[in-house]
């Protein structure tokens, strides 16, 4: 497959993932996962025992306290083992989630020219300021060894509202912006509930995490992941193994196509589809703040030959100006401080990725 240089530092493939998907073309070497780098893609790993947690129990005080305590214990146990659970009782209606998925699916179905409505220079300028590429893109090659994801992504900063860059927000389909705004509002509410519950589950004062990670200036970025069907799911990944650099990640899975896998005790397991549940993945910054008690799981997304897959991931992280670090109450003689404090972990994470380093490892004391 010939490579063409688009004039920027990145190198673009001459046939798009979409074209290869539609034509069932054998994926080129740039997409083939090498055993030495990530381990082979097993055909069908087991379904993981991912706990389902009713988070409505955390948002009101009128519930039976024994029931709430039990759910908090489930939360603590999930986050300190696999670092992942399925949240139900989040109060976001099934109809609304369908509307969001449909708006995103309609966007990705638009002709390529219509999706790339922003000039590259504008994107790059913005990227330099925000250290995160907003807008519609597929992964670009920044290093020789990098294996490319079989995916297209639309990345949008949704919070704080005054930092939104609406130029990147699709105008088509018509309801896209409104639906995304509403979803962001609902997720901000859900995030606040979760941070409090996470603190309580460790017998901490309820604002112990949210005072570092939440509030007016905290960032929330939403990434719509679109994975076209692929003729070689045994060799190609939708998303390479990674941990999220966020505080927490809230992931809405596709309704029909499974694809998310997490590494538990050295084994990949599938995260099953639970209708309307939102998968909560703990991110690196919460692992740091919890002094290593909570775990940021390694996860990946696989592709399939039958159908496209859509997921909507939202990443909550603190304002890049503020410093985060292990909560004092979680440091003692038996559990000494594990991590340094960090500012703008998003940037650290990105720089480590470029150098092939694991960001969290570089934060260890
Ligand atoms: C991510 C991610 C997994 C998925 O966007 O960080 O891990 O299932 N996505 O799409
Ligand atoms: Ni992820």
């Amino acid at each position: 497959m010939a490579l063409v240089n688009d004039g920027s530092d990145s190198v673009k493939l001459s046939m798009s993932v979409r074209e290869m998907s539609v034509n069932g073309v054998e994926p080129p070497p740039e997409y083939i996962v090498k055993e030495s780098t990530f381990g082979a893609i097993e055909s069908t790993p087991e379904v993981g025992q991912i706990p389902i947690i009713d988070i409505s129990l955390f948002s009101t005080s009128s519930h039976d306290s024994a029931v709430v305590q039990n759910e908090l214990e489930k939360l603590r146990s999930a986050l300190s083992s696999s670092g992942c659970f399925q949240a139900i009782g989040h109060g976001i209606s099934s109809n609304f989630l369908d509307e969001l998925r449909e708006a995103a699916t309609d966007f990705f179905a638009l002709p390529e020219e219509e999706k790339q409505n922003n000039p590259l220079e504008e994107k790059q300028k913005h990227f330099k300021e925000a250290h995160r590429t907003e807008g519609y893109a597929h992964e670009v090659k920044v290093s020789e060894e990098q294996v490319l994801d079989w995916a297209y992504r639309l990345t949008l900063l949704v919070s704080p509202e005054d930092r939104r860059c609406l130029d990147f927000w699709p105008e088509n389909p018509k309801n896209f912006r409104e639906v995304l705004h509403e979803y962001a509002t609902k997720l901000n509410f859900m995030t606040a509930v979760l941070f409090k519950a996470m603190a309580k589950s460790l017998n901490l004062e309820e604002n112990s995490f949210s005072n570092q990670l939440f509030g007016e200036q905290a960032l929330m970025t939403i990434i719509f992941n679109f994975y076209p069907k692929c003729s070689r799911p045994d060799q190609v990944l939708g998303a390479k193994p990674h941990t999220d650099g966020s505080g927490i990640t809230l992931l809405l899975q596709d309704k029909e196509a499974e694809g998310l896998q997490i590494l538990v005790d050295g084994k990949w397991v599938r995260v099953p589809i639970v209708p309307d549940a939102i998968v909560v993945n703990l991110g690196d910054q919460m692992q740091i703040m919890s002094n290593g008690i909570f775990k940021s799981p390694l996860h990946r997304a696989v592709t399939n030959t039958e159908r496209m897959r859509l997921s909507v991931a939202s990443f909550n992280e603190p304002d890049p100006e503020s410093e985060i670090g292990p909560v004092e109450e979680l440091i003692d003689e038996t559990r000494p401080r594990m991590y340094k404090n960090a500012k703008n972990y998003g940037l650290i994470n990105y720089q480590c990725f470029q150098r092939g380093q694991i960001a969290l490892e570089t934060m260890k004391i």
Side-chain angles (χ1 to χ4, degrees), residues 225 227 239 242 244 251 253 259-260 299-301 309 311 313 315:
N225 295 298
Y227 307 104
H242 64 281
D244 290 343
L251 183 86
Q253 289 220 71
L260 177 63
H299 56 282
R300 66 184 186 185
R309 176 169 179 266
S311 74
F315 304 88

Side-chain angles (χ1 to χ4, degrees), residues 149-178:
D149 289 344
W150 191 262
Y152 291 94
R153 300 197 162 95
L154 173 65
T155 304
L156 300 168
L157 180 84
V158 296
S159 299
E161 268 186 57
D162 61 7
R163 288 173 75 170
R164 287 181 184 174
C165 185
L166 287 181
D167 287 349
F168 292 111
W169 288 46
E171 286 179 283
N172 190 1
K174 289 271 172 294
N175 65 343
F176 189 98
R177 292 181 173 191
E178 190 188 320

